[in-house]
Amino acid sequence: MTTVPDDDYVYDEATGEWRPASEVAAAAAVPERVVRDSAGNALADGDSVTVIKDLKVKGAGQTLKQGTVIRSIRLTGNDEEIDCRYEGIKGLVLRTEFVRKR
């Protein structure tokens, strides 16, 4: 007689199979995403970054000069973008390829 573990089964739409819930949970426990700047440094909420090239800001009529320091960044759902504030510019979103962690 074969014993079956008392495990719930969940239908996995990606594979089209019924899989044990513990197996699906283990597969879903993917390590946290890491957002990196232009130099490969990991970024986190609240970090300060420096702009590495002059950037024209659409809709604001301003240019962020190379070397400008942006404080208290926030990570977004996109690994290639950060949300930040700068004097006179609300809702500023910068691409991580144009910043370097301080």
Side-chain angles (χ1 to χ4, degrees), residues 5-12 18-29:
D6 293 333
D7 199 6
D8 293 332
Y9 283 80
V10 178
Y11 183 74
D12 184 12
W18 287 92
R19 297 175 47 200
S22 59
E23 185 179 306
V24 173

Side-chain angles (χ1 to χ4, degrees), residues 37-82:
D37 67 1
S38 62
N41 300 317
L43 296 174
D45 285 336
D47 283 347
S48 294
V49 295
T50 304
V51 178
I52 62 169
K53 72 179 255 183
D54 290 353
L55 299 172
K56 293 181 183 176
V57 181
K58 292 180 182 178
Q62 253 183 311
T63 301
L64 291 177
K65 299 289 185 185
Q66 179 179 353
T68 301
V69 176
I70 306 290
R71 292 181 175 81
S72 298
I73 65 166
R74 289 173 303 283
L75 303 179
T76 63
N78 184 344
D79 290 348
E80 297 178 352
E81 295 179 346
I82 56 171

